[in-house]
Amino acid sequence: MLTLKGTSINIDKPLLGRVSFTPAESDQSTTIIINPRLSETQLKGYAASIFSQVNADNELTTGKIPIIYNVSDINLLSAGDVVEIFPSGIINVIYQINSRHNQIFVTSKCNSHCIMCPQPIDRNERNLTEPNLRLISLMDKSTSELAFNGGEPTLIGDDFFRLILACKDLLPDTSLLLLTNGRKFSDFSYTHRYSSLLHPNITISIPLYGDNDIEHDIIVGSQGAFNETVMGILNLASFGHPIEIRTVIHKKTYKNLLRISDYLYRNMTFVNHVAFMGMETTWRAEKNLESLWIEPEEVVGPLDEAIHHLTQRDMNVSVYNIPLCLLPKHLWTFARQSISDWKNYFDPKCLICPVKNRCAGIFNSGLSLYGGYLKPVC
Amino acid sequence: MLLVNLVGEYLYLPNNDFNQLINYSLDQDSDIFSNLKAKHFITKNLSDPAIELLAIKYRTKKEFLSDFTSLHMFVITLRCNQNCVYCHASSKAVGKKALDMSMETALKAVDITLMSPSKYIKIEFQGGEPLLNFDTIKYIIEYANDQALLKNKKLEFVVCTNLTLATDEMLKYLVSNNILLSISLDGPGHVHDFNRHYRDGSGSYEDVIRALDKAKEYIKPENISALMTTTKYSLNFADEIVDEYIKNGFRSIFVRALNPFGYALSKMDEIGYSPSGFIDFYKRILDYIIKINQQGIYMEESFTSLLLRRMLTSFSTGFVDIQFPAGTGISGVIYNYDGNVYPADEARMLAQMGDGRFCMGNVHNNTYKELFYNNALQEIIGNTCAESLPGCSDCAFQMYCGIDPIRNYVTQGDIVGHRPTNDSCLIHKEIIKYLFEIILENDPYYMDVFWSWLTGRRLSEIKVTV
């Protein structure tokens, strides 16, 4: 997530608002205004104001309106972005109108415990549903894609359904991507309730790390997970939901890619898309790196085999999070620019690379690991 | 050791591993153990979704049974202007109009056809040469189309013809009604003429090609298919036969063995061959077809793709002549010119030769229920379930194969048949074995072509390597 910092005045609790550079006709209480030409009187009624100046106007700093000033990089903000500002002067940009990677972070709670999980669990997490509902209400209707992320989004009970319904109501043209381990959907009546929400455009993205429970369950750190995930996929398919399968590639999965592909074709020909993904090396992935790390060149063979297997069978397959210079040329057509913009990184070496503009790059967290492998392609 | 499960998934196991498996001594941490679980050969507990997945796949595989009879063949006339070397119908002279299907019979047969529960119904016009009785064809198409509207059925019509008698008027009519053509083409001139000639003995090849070219002026190439039948003479010309199909713009060929019925039976010395002779021919022609595909020409061998679909995919593939239970009556049915109803063309020929035991009744005298719900048909179907057939029940290739009870009766004296001496069994087993050798080797040279057939795409769309 993009984060800016400044100095705050008159802000005693976190505030959420939509960025505007021009005076708002209505909804001023949910608008964060950026406009140095407005007077204190004109700024009244807005949720807050942001300034880039190092020294804010005396008149303003001594006044009563909430302000963050001394914000560099203010030009990174666009009208329509949604930001959360804190008494500390931190500005989190939680929605970017021009990004294809916007997400609702539903919860950090999870019922799996994947060895490569990049997302720490916040034991003291407050309920995020109300802020998320407010966030949805502030998003632009033109948003084309929105991901539901976690943690495991289905663990928050009926609040999860409230979020989906809010999107259906307020963002009718936005397609949703639900990232879930699918286990909750092994309960047929739950899947039935979920389907009854009748949201017209949700793709459900579910990870699979093996073609059998022995291998999958070890990786997700939860016995019985594979069986639940498979039943969940079958239940979701029986209601006709579009399903995507994701497999993160590391030392314990790279040899399974072909068998996972065959399992999908024989048992779940209905899946719309299969994504093989490079690993984000933060949190548990970082802690367990020794047992997860695999040389990029060793991945190529098994990945190639699996992609060929799926392509032969007319199944859609993509490669996420792997830069083009680590893939043989004939696999480039499957590579996608999948890394969210705010954690996407290119090495200085990449600047002269002729295919940089269609490359996924790497996660910023992977710089020390992958930096040495990156090279401009000719 | 090749293991095959009940939905046709397979796993190759070295003998040593197989012995450990059946002795319960296989290492549970081994890759093989995981593989066996993944392919649902073994399970450790009942909460495993293996049962659910197998059930889904089994239902899917047998889905072709759920619609009941969808192929309805009409013998429009017994008359024919040709007298082919392998004809089992012993065709009748062109003048004998009493051997035509009458409008009354046609009407009754259509009524019965449209009582089938299947929503999609294919009506196939056969003979003899059906174009000799074109008025009845037109009558059936029009009457059936009207009735189909009332009954909310989707119809497809196919005319099986040697095409030599097709006039511009007929072709115009066929194209305006979206009718499919199925012609016979046995190879280049000398092969085709050896097999297929007029009643005076002269060859029909030139007339067929001329008629085919004319037909293409009206009918889209994808609506014209061709069948080839293999005689002893054909065996030496595998490549030339395929080339002839390519030359005429066909995208598939069905390499069919002779049916030892009727007229053909008396000429087996001249036209017949051993099962191994056919298997050898099949392998040569398949190899050539693969080579052609690798050169960028799409040409599918339909028997191979039928078997591959069963071996490599989870989809349902009924095929009237090769399925369990047999398609006789329950997937396909044939109405003779006189209104007699038979579960297969072979049963009709048998009746023509004096043994009418498989006749299901007559459209003039019997109701739909009497025709399709009777002991005779139940006995046939009951004796064609692989699970209870000697020689099939324990065959690893059961999910890929099928049985033709009438053929068993004709060649072996009863509908069950004796597998160790059954030519069809021998041919199917050998061909499936051959395909497995290719599949297990997994050479993209073959497999990419196979998958282009199974997914109906050009080879270039499948090759990942650029």
Side-chain angles (χ1 to χ4, degrees), chain A residues 79-95:
Chain A
D81 287 355
V82 178
V83 297
E84 190 174 21
I85 59 180
F86 294 88
S88 61
I90 296 282
I91 303 170
N92 283 338
V93 187
I94 54 180
Y95 164 84

Side-chain angles (χ1 to χ4, degrees), chain A residues 10 18 20 36 84 91 100 105 116 131 142 157 171 200 209 234 238 248 251 263 272 294 301 303 317 325 363 377:
Chain A
N10 298 330
R18 191 181 151 114
S20 177
E84 190 174 21
I91 303 170
R100 293 187 306 112
F105 186 78
M116 66 294 181
S142 70
L171 302 168
Y209 297 113
L234 295 180
S238 70
V248 176
K251 195 176 189 172
Y263 184 83
N272 301 52
I294 176 79
L303 182 62
V317 54
C325 57
F363 288 104
V377 294

Side-chain angles (χ1 to χ4, degrees), chain B residues 260-333:
Chain B
F261 293 133
Y263 184 55
L265 198 54
S266 63
K267 306 183 77 173
M268 283 317 256
D269 282 351
E270 191 192 329
I271 62 173
Y273 37 77
S274 65
S276 61
F278 179 76
I279 292 158
D280 176 62
F281 172 72
Y282 167 84
K283 290 179 184 175
R284 278 186 287 124
I285 205 165
L286 183 63
D287 263 18
Y288 185 65
I289 290 172
I290 300 286
K291 193 169 124 193
I292 290 294
N293 279 273
Q294 284 293 350
Q295 289 166 7
I297 299 168
Y298 187 99
M299 174 59 66
E300 177 177 349
E301 202 288 298
S302 304
F303 183 53
T304 308
S305 40
L306 171 76
L307 294 174
L308 290 173
R309 189 159 280 121
R310 292 177 176 178
M311 297 159 85
L312 298 175
T313 84
S314 299
F315 303 125
S316 173
T317 48
F319 185 78
V320 174
D321 299 340
I322 313 168
Q323 66 180 51
F324 287 120
T328 40
I330 64 166
S331 295
V333 67

Side-chain angles (χ1 to χ4, degrees), chain A residues 211-215 227 230-231 234 259 262-263 265-267 269 308 311-314 330-331 334, chain B residues 8-9 34-35 37-40 48-49 53 57 311-315 447-448 451 455 457 464 466:
Chain A
D211 59 358
N212 64 83
D213 58 347
I214 304 170
E215 287 160 355
N227 292 346
V230 168
M231 280 313 297
L234 295 180
R259 292 202 282 119
D262 195 54
Y263 184 83
Y265 181 69
R266 294 301 300 231
N267 296 289
T269 322
H308 188 207
T311 307
Q312 274 184 330
R313 287 153 182 75
D314 210 2
H330 67 268
L331 296 184
F334 302 99
Chain B
E9 279 172 272
S34 306
N35 272 347
K37 282 196 82 175
K39 296 205 176 287
H40 306 139
D48 193 317
L53 284 165
K57 288 187 279 189
M311 297 159 85
L312 298 175
T313 84
S314 299
F315 303 125
M447 296 312 290
D448 283 348
W451 281 107
T455 57
R457 292 176 301 162
V464 170
V466 188

